[in-house]
Amino acid sequence: MSASCSTVLILGSAPNAVEAAPWPRAHFDHIVAINNAWAVRPDWTHLIHPEDFPKERRPLDLRENQQLVDYTHYIPQQNAFGGIVYTGGTMAFTAGYWALGALKPRVMAFMGCDMMYASAGSTHFYGTGTADPLRDDITLQSLEAKSARLALLAAEQGCACVNLSKDPSRLVFPRLSPEDVKHTPRLKLADTHGIAAARAQEAALDYAAPDGRYWKIQDQFDAAELARVDALWLTAYKAASIAVA
């Protein structure tokens, strides 16, 4: 399945998210804000949030072209891409898979999603928050591997995952400037054997939580086996040659 010509900005809540505030809207066809990131700029198109995102932190009024995306929207998309146990249970990846399935973009550009947290001071642009990706979670043993998986499955659809941040990051995506997003070339995977191997291992394990509440049954999953799957995805990413030129 080929991607459309659209570009999507996926905006997280890291301190550097505010750098995206003045970026020209013309660079992006859609802006998907994660949780509190809707406050960074008013022209977002989608606000994606989990069930426990407090109602008092949500926008009061929506513009005509704005919509909320909750678990009833993103869990089906994650299931279509293998399920949350394999996609990773944190919102940066959730937003990526939802956008990949629902918007079918040519480029997914991430900002404020580096998942690096200061030991002191502000952890998020709005102050100090909970570092969700750093919790003890069986699906998040390797954030790098989970980002590699997303990049590879996106590349299969002709979509490039890029990182607009200039800061240290757990994302393995190539770096790009906002000005160049519209000119990102289409991708071709040089080697798909590694992808097939990783998928085969996922299928063999058959770890699933169709309702998304994997934490209720995580005793059914073997952390060591999931770590092996992560290693396969990292190996596949290194071999695939999907870097943006």
Side-chain angles (χ1 to χ4, degrees):
M1 179 169 50
S2 61
S4 71
C5 294
S6 67
T7 59
V8 175
L9 171 63
I10 295 180
L11 187 59
S13 295
N16 66 0
V18 296
E19 295 176 20
W23 290 347
R25 184 65 173 78
H27 291 339
F28 312 103
D29 297 293
H30 308 281
I31 297 178
V32 178
I34 301 172
N35 296 340
N36 298 282
W38 66 269
V40 172
R41 50 187 299 160
D43 55 354
W44 53 271
T45 55
H46 303 83
L47 167 58
I48 187 168
H49 64 82
E51 291 180 77
D52 60 357
F53 186 56
K55 291 185 178 180
E56 62 270 20
R57 293 189 182 179
R58 304 176 192 179
L60 296 176
D61 299 302
L62 301 183
R63 298 181 181 183
E64 186 176 351
N65 68 333
Q66 293 179 327
Q67 65 183 80
L68 303 182
V69 177
D70 64 16
Y71 73 98
T72 64
H73 302 98
Y74 61 70
I75 291 299
Q77 292 293 354
Q78 285 178 296
N79 286 340
F81 287 102
I84 193 169
V85 178
Y86 299 134
T87 63
T90 196
M91 288 306 295
F93 301 134
T94 294
Y97 282 105
W98 174 81
L100 184 61
L103 303 178
K104 295 179 172 55
R106 188 177 69 83
V107 180
M108 287 196 296
F110 289 73
M111 182 60 182
C113 299
D114 291 317
M115 293 180 278
M116 303 284 291
Y117 299 93
S119 57
S122 297
T123 58
H124 298 70
F125 75 88
Y126 53 83
T128 301
T130 302
D132 181 69
L134 297 188
R135 70 189 189 280
D136 185 15
D137 190 305
I138 199 169
T139 76
L140 299 173
Q141 297 181 83
S142 171
L143 298 175
E144 291 80 5
K146 289 298 187 284
S147 67
R149 184 185 192 275
L150 174 59
L152 289 169
L153 298 195
E156 285 189 323
Q157 295 191 182
C159 174
C161 289
V162 299
N163 189 358
L164 304 185
S165 165
K166 298 178 181 177
D167 298 326
S169 181
R170 304 295 296 277
L171 300 176
V172 298
F173 311 148
R175 308 284 184 142
L176 209 65
S177 67
E179 295 77 19
D180 293 330
V181 164
K182 286 284 189 181
H183 307 293
T184 304
R186 292 191 179 275
L187 302 178
K188 289 185 178 179
L189 290 167
D191 187 337
T192 60
H193 292 90
I195 299 173
R199 277 184 159 150
Q201 185 61 23
E202 289 182 350
L205 293 175
D206 195 26
Y207 290 168
D211 64 356
R213 295 177 171 87
Y214 63 94
W215 56 89
K216 292 186 175 182
I217 56 172
Q218 62 180 350
D219 59 339
Q220 300 177 20
F221 311 137
D222 187 321
E225 291 293 344
L226 286 174
R228 292 187 185 97
V229 171
D230 283 342
L232 287 172
W233 283 114
L234 285 172
T235 298
Y237 186 80
K238 292 174 183 176
S241 300
I242 63 169
V244 176

